[in-house]
Amino acid sequence: MARKIINECHLLPFDLGVGIESMNDMGDSSDMLDPGIETFFDSAPPLKDYVSTKRKVGEFIELNSSSSRNKTFRRIVCVTSGGTTVPLEQRCVRYIDNFSSGHRGAASTEYFVKAGYAVIFLHRRGSCQPYCSTLPQDPLLECFELTGESSVQVHQSHAEAIKKALKGHNSAVEQGQLLKLPFTTTFDYLQMLQLIALSMKSLGPLGSFYLAAAVSDFYVPWESMAEHKIQSTSGPLDLRLAQVPKMLKVIRDEWAPMAFCISFKLETDTSILLKKANMALRKYDMHAVVANELLTRKEQVTIVTLEGSTTVRRDETESDSEVEKPLVELLVDMHSDYIEESMRIACEK
Ligand code: PMT
């Protein structure tokens, strides 16, 4: 069903031709941004790997879009994962961090790949990775043994797990379904999110965002940040943090207005969780908000939409089941409906 919709879409009036040339021609959207967002991007240190990241994203979209020579044609989802850091010094020794192991994003990536999507996995460097959840927790060197002067092999006890992880990972990469892009700071994350969103704009409703990253709400603007390590001999530290603008609405209004957008709401107080998720849904014009509570986040989540809310749970009868399986399955179906509806509207015009 999903595949049928995608192929039909090919014939319809969405501009899906995302050539490298058009990617380079994305232009500067800063003149359309609200002042908080403009200030954030103006003060951010430029992304180090901007050119190569833009090239990789462009090639990945090209490979999976209709304009590609090999005619591979997939929906593309940008999965964000892990927490962003806020540096306190330009030559950073100390930073504020946001809680997130990255498990949600990594596991969800595997289910999106399984559902036929191409995934841009925008993740915190060092956080959980797709296909790695079954890998041994032992220190790396304990997984291997020397079998001669110059040969090494995996310990038999770990061989199956490592083989399984390698197969899953290599297949996703070889099929062109997985692009992994790491970030560390909030500055990196939001600049990369902007780059990816602008690159995905021409995918129309076939593009999607699954924003599971835990993004800092406060930051130290680069120009007011100490250059060198802050000295403890100077006494107690007073910090004034500026507010990080929410980028959710900008994705919807400007960067990729037709993309299917899912954001997350994390709370520790269940009594306010659904109310906050509903508020975010409306305020940022999301298609769905996934509400989760810190302690039960691996057991159940609630998907909040304008039509109502649905709770999905991990299958407790299976020891290795994950809540991301029913979550992603439901979201893929919702995305299919969204594409169908968008096509219908486009045809009527
Ligand atoms: O990684 P795990 O350990 O598996 O845990 C998963 C998770 C709990 C981190 C994940 O399921 C989750 O809930 N992620 C979002 C947590 C969060 O920071 O919520 P928030 O209320 O601060 O932000 C809400 C949404 O706005 C998020 O989708 C976030 O990506 C986005 N945001 C936040 C701040 C900001 N300045 N801009 C944003 O776009």
Side-chain angles (χ1 to χ4, degrees):
M1 177 66 174
R3 178 61 56 188
K4 179 166 171 271
I5 290 169
I6 289 175
N7 288 332
E8 281 171 359
C9 240
H10 181 39
L11 307 170
L12 284 157
F14 297 116
D15 173 17
L16 297 172
V18 195
I20 305 294
E21 303 83 75
S22 62
M23 299 280 312
N24 291 336
D25 211 24
M26 289 184 308
D28 180 5
S29 70
S30 57
D31 54 331
M32 299 183 288
L33 302 176
D34 86 35
I37 292 167
E38 215 166 333
T39 308
F40 180 88
F41 283 117
D42 283 351
S43 86
L47 203 55
K48 275 201 199 85
D49 304 324
Y50 178 81
V51 172
S52 72
T53 305
K54 190 169 164 180
R55 180 183 48 74
K56 282 182 200 164
V57 171
E59 286 173 359
F60 187 76
I61 293 174
E62 171 83 358
L63 178 71
N64 287 289
S65 74
S66 59
S67 58
S68 160
R69 247 177 273 126
N70 68 9
K71 298 287 173 219
T72 312
F73 192 20
R74 296 189 179 100
R75 299 180 195 181
I76 299 179
V77 60
C78 172
V79 172
T80 73
S81 183
T84 65
T85 69
V86 169
L88 300 187
E89 297 124 343
Q90 290 182 354
R91 302 187 189 197
C92 182
V93 175
R94 302 185 187 87
Y95 57 86
I96 303 172
D97 208 347
N98 248 60
F99 161 80
S100 169
S101 66
H103 178 269
R104 173 87 75 225
S108 304
T109 293
E110 294 180 32
Y111 292 110
F112 275 117
V113 167
K114 214 174 194 170
Y117 280 68
V119 181
I120 299 174
F121 180 61
L122 179 60
H123 65 280
R124 165 75 177 273
R125 196 173 267 107
S127 65
C128 294
Q129 296 293 299
Y131 306 103
C132 291
S133 63
T134 56
L135 287 183
Q137 299 295 312
D138 298 353
L140 183 69
L141 293 182
E142 289 176 23
C143 298
F144 301 97
E145 57 190 341
L146 275 171
T147 53
E149 228 0 81
S150 56
S151 53
V152 176
Q153 76 178 24
V154 178
H155 267 300
Q156 199 49 43
S157 52
H158 298 323
E160 271 316 303
I162 292 181
K163 246 193 281 175
K164 191 172 167 216
L166 271 174
K167 271 189 194 163
H169 175 267
N170 292 356
S171 150
V173 172
E174 281 157 20
Q175 299 292 317
Q177 281 183 270
L178 181 59
L179 175 66
K180 297 197 284 186
L181 298 174
F183 65 80
T184 303
T185 68
T186 310
F187 296 121
D188 298 340
Y189 170 79
L190 288 175
Q191 289 181 85
M192 290 170 88
L193 184 64
Q194 182 190 39
L195 184 163
I196 294 166
L198 289 171
S199 304
M200 284 173 58
K201 185 173 190 168
S202 50
L203 293 172
L206 301 188
S208 178
F209 289 85
Y210 181 89
L211 302 162
V215 184
S216 317
D217 283 321
F218 304 99
Y219 76 113
V220 183
W222 192 253
E223 67 278 4
S224 56
M225 199 185 288
E227 181 186 351
H228 293 284
K229 184 185 169 200
I230 298 167
Q231 296 299 312
S232 57
T233 47
S234 313
L237 179 62
D238 283 324
L239 272 181
R240 188 175 163 76
L241 302 175
Q243 204 150 10
V244 177
K246 284 269 185 201
M247 301 293 171
L248 302 177
K249 194 74 169 71
V250 200
I251 296 180
R252 290 289 292 124
D253 288 349
E254 293 169 13
W255 294 347
M258 289 297 287
F260 186 68
C261 276
I262 305 138
S263 75
F264 281 70
K265 180 46 72 185
L266 173 69
E267 292 294 341
T268 53
D269 179 354
T270 42
S271 69
I272 59 167
L273 178 60
L274 290 184
K275 189 172 161 220
K276 297 281 294 258
N278 263 294
M279 278 165 56
L281 181 79
R282 288 167 172 79
K283 186 168 176 190
Y284 304 119
D285 194 20
M286 292 289 102
H287 296 102
V289 176
V290 180
N292 54 171
E293 188 272 326
L294 187 66
L295 294 178
T296 57
R297 71 187 191 285
K298 291 191 173 182
E299 302 302 316
Q300 65 170 59
V301 297
T302 301
I303 299 111
V304 178
T305 67
L306 285 177
E307 284 72 45
S309 54
T310 310
T311 298
V312 293
R313 293 184 178 78
R314 187 178 82 79
D315 181 353
E316 287 171 0
T317 62
E318 284 181 33
S319 61
D320 59 351
S321 80
E322 297 174 304
V323 70
E324 286 78 11
K325 183 174 188 283
L327 169 62
V328 170
E329 281 171 1
L330 185 66
L331 292 171
V332 167
D333 283 348
M334 284 172 56
H335 190 193
S336 298
D337 292 345
Y338 174 72
I339 293 170
E340 203 166 8
E341 178 64 7
S342 304
M343 280 167 46
R344 193 187 56 71
I345 293 169
C347 287
E348 280 171 11
K349 279 185 186 163

